[in-house]
Amino acid sequence: MKKIVYQGEPGANSHMACHDAYPDFEAMPCATFEDCFAALEEGRADLGMIPVENSVAGRVADIHHLLPRSELHIIGEYFMPIRFQLMAPKGATLAGLKSVQSHVMALGQCRKLIRARKLEAVIGADTAGSARQIAERGDLTAAALAPELAARTYGLEILARDVEDEAHNTTRFLILSRDNLHAANNGQPVITTLVFRVRNVPAALYKGLGGFATNGVNMTKLESYQLEGQFFASMFYADVEGHPDDRNVGLALEELAFFSAELKVLGVYRASPFREKIREPEANRALRPTPKL
């Protein structure tokens, strides 16, 4: 059986994403993102399911540093609606809770509940691991925020369901592989992901990105992050719509390369159908059945 790695413990959101997207793969937990990357690079796993950003809490910063330095490639993306359950050992009550533990991003996505119940927020390594620790301690005043699968896995009771702040709470995952499997250029929607560092000349970023505007290429994401503690050397992470073999995308990348000291394409992969769903006007979206992700 092929294996797909994820960061966290059994019952985590990443674990659920693995089962949803690759039900025929064995999901293999890793303690850290570095461990996930190592398992892929060493051939102990075939694919990786790695969260890169959340619609409420923002980006997962570790990935922007790890991915460009690795020899791994993005071969797909997966969007998963995130639902958090407030869970505690059997016998606990909502009124008796004093603290709640979870991953820092999960706590950030459930601020309203935490403030309304006046709970102490305790940062854990991950959501499912927090659920396991709460179950092991058996403290009836301590709860965890985690997916429903974690409650079933560790025998916890759900005291409040779907407590995330926003109904649109969604995490985007990148699917990683050792193999550089570029999507075919056959007219279907494609995303090209790249990182670059512009040359140290005036207006280099402005001029480098100008090629995307003049060639009509839609850039759906552009983020900067610092390099190795330096304040003046920034790397940029970008997602653009289209295939490098498309003439307009090729010309835009050529212009960007001219003004860049470093440019690396991390992946060329099929755009998730979820992208079309979130683009629909609300009036039209209400008339369509929700697709199974």
Side-chain angles (χ1 to χ4, degrees), residues 49-258:
M49 182 69 73
I50 306 296
V52 67
E53 59 189 325
N54 176 268
S55 61
V56 175
R59 72 183 184 184
V60 182
D62 289 353
I63 307 309
H64 291 71
H65 292 277
L66 290 172
L67 191 52
R69 297 173 181 174
S70 76
E71 296 302 319
L72 302 177
H73 307 276
I74 305 171
I75 64 165
E77 62 178 356
Y78 182 71
F79 290 82
M80 188 175 81
I82 301 299
R83 302 290 176 260
F84 284 112
Q85 320 304 327
L86 182 68
M87 56 191 69
K90 292 181 179 179
T93 64
L94 198 58
L97 294 181
K98 295 181 180 179
S99 66
V100 60
Q101 177 177 325
S102 195
H103 187 276
V104 63
M105 292 193 74
L107 295 172
Q109 294 166 39
C110 302
R111 288 191 179 96
K112 293 178 182 178
L113 168 81
I114 295 171
R115 293 188 65 181
R117 306 300 309 183
K118 297 181 180 179
L119 300 175
E120 176 190 359
V122 179
I123 297 176
D126 61 83
T127 55
S130 295
R132 176 182 57 78
Q133 291 173 4
I134 292 298
E136 291 172 349
R137 295 207 319 252
D139 183 352
L140 299 186
T141 68
L145 286 167
E148 185 171 358
L149 179 58
R152 297 199 302 267
T153 301
Y154 301 111
L156 295 175
E157 184 175 345
I158 295 177
L159 302 181
R161 290 185 173 273
D162 300 345
V163 296
E164 61 280 354
D165 291 347
E166 305 293 342
H168 63 70
N169 190 1
T170 302
T171 293
R172 179 188 178 216
F173 293 85
L174 297 178
I175 301 161
L176 305 183
S177 170
R178 292 186 307 279
D179 300 321
N180 191 10
L181 304 176
H182 279 195
N185 189 19
N186 57 9
Q188 294 186 352
V190 167
I191 300 297
T192 296
T193 295
L194 57 132
V195 290
F196 63 93
R197 177 170 57 89
V198 295
R199 294 160 52 195
N200 189 22
V201 297
L205 179 61
Y206 173 80
K207 294 175 181 177
L209 296 181
F212 294 93
T214 56
N215 288 286
V217 178
N218 188 29
M219 181 174 285
T220 62
K221 177 170 290 294
L222 177 65
E223 295 182 341
S224 66
Y225 59 97
Q226 303 307 116
L227 279 175
E228 299 176 350
Q230 301 181 47
F231 286 101
F232 306 106
S234 295
M235 288 289 289
F236 293 88
Y237 170 101
D239 291 335
V240 300
E241 292 181 340
H243 197 287
D245 291 344
D246 293 335
R247 176 173 170 77
N248 63 333
V249 177
L251 289 172
L253 291 176
E254 183 178 329
E255 189 162 345
L256 177 61
F258 180 81

